[in-house]
Amino acid sequence: MATPRDAEIRKDVQTYYGQVLKKSADFQTNACVTAARPVPQHIREALQNVHEEVSLRYYGCGLVIPECLENCWILDLGSGSGRDCYALSQLVGEKGHVTGIDMTEGQVEVANKYIEYHMEKYGFQAPNVTFIHGYIEKLEEAGIKNESYDIVISNCAINLVPDKQQVLQEVYRVLKHGGELYFSDVYASLELPEEIRTHKVLWGECLGGALYWKDLSILAKKVGFCPPRLVTANFITVQNKELENVIGDCRFVSATFRLFKLPKTGPTQKCQVIYNGGIRGHEKELIFDANFTFKKDEVVEVDEETVAILKNSRFAQDFLIGPDGEKFPTYGAYTALEVKDVVTDPFELAGRSDSAESRSFPAVGGCCSTKKCS
């Protein structure tokens, strides 16, 4: 049940995104313009097709477009002006559908304004995108039915809701079995002190409501999801001395995670899998998360949880999965994951990314290329 404090936070956030912010350059931190990993060509093209006003009014903190989307039904939590929705609507095709929900009425108005423009640009006979004014922790009130979506995405929105568990419960309810929550959000290095949790500007900047990163796995387990799988992470910097003083020693990252809702099945064993290269934009390799990269036709040994995900999700058609506990007899290339290599801490991954960037050229793409630098 929402508390008076929760209602006050919601009102403050609506004011910040509806009135204070006029464009992405108005942010006082880089929480919403952190770099993402390299973007496949077909996604870059989809983003370039999005109307300029929609992109300008978009305030996400990463590029939240997963793989293997054709014909999928996708729900975007905190869809804002609709940038990701319009990119996704091209990728799911006319047989798929994208629904965006946002609590800021002005943002939903911008998104709705350009439905006809985008459908005509894509050559679609009928709209495959819908925008709803509502709250991401109250999806049932918005009319979103049980087990109705293949994928739920969120781009820097869950941190703006005080009750994160309620959001995850609603997402779990509306996902089909085998479905996925693929989301970028802001995480804190420690439990936030009161002065940060009650700071209006820090809430609007996606920092005041940031979850302590270790709490995500606790909430996911409570709701019924598989353990979170870390995809990318980048440090957040604050470009305001006054806000830096409030934050003190606390650090923040923007991180992307995957959460899968799997059917209740019997136990699985480690086994070998082979990626067939059939996913558009990922024909040579599929970077599944920070720990697993699947190269086409290469044998990879995976743990029990990864086996269950690949068997029971939309990725099943793209993998040859060996019998439990058995090995493929005649393949040369082989990769085995060692337990010590598994990364779950977004701050550790962000540190590795910083070190890698200092030794090489910056990654191409990222959300900055479609927002602040546009």
Side-chain angles (χ1 to χ4, degrees), residues 80-94:
S81 61
R83 187 202 70 169
D84 286 0
C85 288
Y86 283 124
L88 287 162
S89 72
Q90 299 167 79
L91 302 175
V92 301
E94 288 191 86

Side-chain angles (χ1 to χ4, degrees), residues 127-250:
N128 70 341
V129 61
T130 305
F131 295 102
I132 300 171
H133 179 226
Y135 301 104
I136 66 174
E137 71 273 37
K138 297 182 178 182
L139 299 180
E140 190 168 14
E141 284 186 11
I144 298 174
K145 298 178 181 179
N146 293 355
E147 299 178 13
S148 53
Y149 286 91
D150 302 290
I151 305 166
V152 175
I153 69 165
S154 177
N155 196 336
C156 204
I158 295 176
N159 69 85
L160 298 174
V161 179
D163 192 345
K164 274 70 169 173
Q165 183 172 329
Q166 181 62 31
V167 177
L168 294 182
Q169 285 174 338
E170 279 291 270
V171 170
Y172 192 87
R173 179 183 65 80
V174 305
L175 276 175
K176 299 174 184 177
H177 288 290
E180 175 186 13
L181 169 60
Y182 186 91
F183 67 115
S184 180
D185 216 69
V186 177
Y187 297 90
S189 60
L190 45 80
E191 295 282 358
L192 294 182
E194 183 74 8
E195 57 266 29
I196 295 178
R197 289 189 291 107
T198 56
H199 197 285
K200 289 184 180 182
V201 173
L202 289 177
W203 264 97
E205 292 284 330
C206 304
L207 303 183
L211 190 68
Y212 174 41
W213 75 270
K214 290 185 178 181
D215 287 344
L216 177 61
S217 60
I218 296 171
L219 293 180
K221 183 177 181 180
K222 277 185 182 179
V223 171
F225 283 108
C226 290
R229 304 181 73 96
L230 177 61
V231 181
T232 62
N234 296 278
F235 287 119
I236 290 171
T237 58
V238 177
Q239 297 140 6
N240 179 299
K241 279 292 182 185
E242 182 182 340
L243 296 182
E244 282 182 353
N245 292 334
V246 176
I247 289 168
D249 294 333
C250 185

Side-chain angles (χ1 to χ4, degrees), residues 42-73:
H42 72 291
I43 294 180
R44 289 203 300 270
E45 292 172 355
L47 288 167
Q48 287 167 2
N49 285 332
V50 176
H51 192 280
E52 182 180 7
E53 183 181 359
V54 171
S55 294
L56 187 66
R57 292 288 300 275
Y58 195 76
Y59 309 130
C61 68
L63 182 64
V64 187
I65 297 183
E67 320 83 5
C68 197
L69 302 177
E70 189 175 356
N71 300 329
C72 285
W73 278 60

Side-chain angles (χ1 to χ4, degrees), residues 14-62:
Q14 285 175 311
T15 300
Y16 202 73
Y17 281 81
Q19 299 175 28
V20 176
L21 297 177
K22 301 301 181 184
K23 54 188 182 300
S24 55
D26 292 337
F27 277 110
Q28 298 181 55
T29 75
N30 76 331
C32 293
V33 289
T34 50
R37 61 185 179 181
V39 182
Q41 177 65 28
H42 72 291
I43 294 180
R44 289 203 300 270
E45 292 172 355
L47 288 167
Q48 287 167 2
N49 285 332
V50 176
H51 192 280
E52 182 180 7
E53 183 181 359
V54 171
S55 294
L56 187 66
R57 292 288 300 275
Y58 195 76
Y59 309 130
C61 68

